[in-house]
């Protein structure tokens, strides 16, 4: 009986030691392998161009603080997660008139100036919000936008304390990126 107990104890000890050897082997292998992670925030990576973070707005070439968005609402209706909110800017009560410097077209038969044609009010968003808590990064909004006003950011270093911290005002972010004012994202 005692002999059986001794054999079992020796067997358990050998198994335990072998498990230790296997563990040390794995640790040793990883210890000498090239490091794949960085000591954030002391260091940051410099190859994040291809990272697909949350979406952001693209500005007009000549007015980088103004989004290309024409408020067609395609992204809003296509988003499977319902995380985009776009509010169109209210049109002015008296729409702006086109320039009156067009004498040929605007002169009547008796030489009087016709009223210049109404200029179409620009469709610009007054609010453009993303609830990143709900976003699945599916890319549908990027694909459907007819004026290429949405792209993926490479914003990798994001953190927050509550869900509200991940609701982004992308108009403010665009203004901040263009060097105008401060955005919350
Ligand atoms: S990436 Fe997909 S889930 Fe995220 S906002 Fe765009 S459409 Fe919605
Ligand atoms: S799909 Fe493009 S143009 Fe249309 S509302 Fe969205 S961002 Fe604006």
């Amino acid at each position: 009986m005692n002999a059986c107990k001794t054999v079992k104890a020796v067997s358990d000890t050998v198994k335990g030691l072998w498990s230790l050897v296997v563990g040390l082997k794995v640790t040793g292998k990883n210890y000498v392998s090239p490091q794949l992670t960085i000591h954030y925030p002391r260091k940051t990576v410099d190859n994040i161009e291809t990272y697909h973070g949350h979406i952001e707005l693209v500005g007009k070439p000549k007015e980088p603080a103004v989004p290309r968005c024409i408020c067609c609402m395609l992204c809003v209706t296509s988003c499977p997660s319902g995380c985009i909110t776009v509010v169109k800017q209210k049109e002015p009560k008296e729409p702006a008139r086109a320039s009156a410097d067009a004498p040929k077209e605007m002169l009547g038969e008796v030489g009087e100036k016709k009223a210049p044609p109404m200029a179409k009010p620009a469709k610009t968003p007054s609010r453009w919000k993303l609830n990143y808590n709900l976003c699945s990064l599916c890319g549908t909004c990027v694909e459907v936008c007819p004026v290429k006003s949405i792209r993926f950011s490479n914003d990798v270093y994001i953190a927050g304390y509550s869900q509200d911290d991940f609701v982004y005002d992308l108009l403010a972010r665009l203004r901040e990126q263009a060097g105008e004012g401060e955005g919350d994202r």
Side-chain angles (χ1 to χ4, degrees):
M1 194 66 181
N2 277 345
C4 279
K5 276 187 181 173
T6 309
V7 168
K8 190 173 179 311
V10 171
S11 165
D12 287 349
T13 307
V14 170
K15 277 185 191 167
L17 283 173
W18 180 245
S19 166
L20 185 65
V21 168
V22 170
L24 284 172
K25 195 177 153 194
V26 172
T27 305
K29 197 176 158 193
N30 283 295
Y31 189 74
V32 295
S33 303
Q35 191 176 343
L36 297 176
T37 54
I38 56 157
H39 289 170
Y40 180 78
R42 286 190 292 274
K43 289 182 187 170
T44 54
V45 294
D46 55 7
N47 60 342
I48 55 171
E49 295 79 27
T50 54
Y51 177 75
H52 275 192
H54 63 79
I55 55 164
E56 65 182 2
L57 289 173
V58 180
K60 293 179 179 177
K62 290 186 180 170
E63 293 174 284
V66 179
R68 294 183 186 180
C69 176
I70 54 170
C71 298
C72 70
M73 303 295 163
L74 265 178
C75 56
V76 179
T77 51
S78 307
C79 174
S81 313
C83 41
I84 299 175
T85 308
V86 178
V87 178
K88 200 162 69 171
Q89 232 171 48
K90 279 186 185 160
E91 292 175 14
K93 283 181 186 167
E94 290 259 335
R97 290 186 180 275
S99 168
D101 292 337
K104 267 191 186 171
E105 294 78 15
M106 292 174 197
L107 284 177
E109 285 184 9
V110 291
E112 283 179 359
K113 273 192 175 182
K114 284 183 190 171
M118 296 292 188
K120 278 190 180 172
K123 288 180 183 167
T124 319
S126 63
R127 229 171 132 228
W128 213 113
K129 294 241 176 194
L130 167 72
N131 187 346
Y132 194 38
N133 296 295
L134 307 175
C135 178
S136 59
L137 293 170
C138 68
T140 304
C141 55
V142 179
E143 281 174 28
V144 297
C145 179
V147 289
K148 307 242 176 293
S149 186
I150 310 174
R151 69 181 170 207
F152 285 110
S153 71
N154 50 26
D155 200 355
V156 60
Y157 301 114
I158 55 172
Y161 294 102
S162 71
Q163 289 197 340
D164 289 348
D165 293 336
F166 297 96
V167 179
Y168 301 148
D169 178 349
L170 294 189
L171 282 180
R173 175 184 166 86
L174 184 65
R175 283 196 294 272
E176 187 188 24
Q177 286 173 321
E180 292 181 17
E182 291 196 5
D184 58 4
R185 256 239 86 75

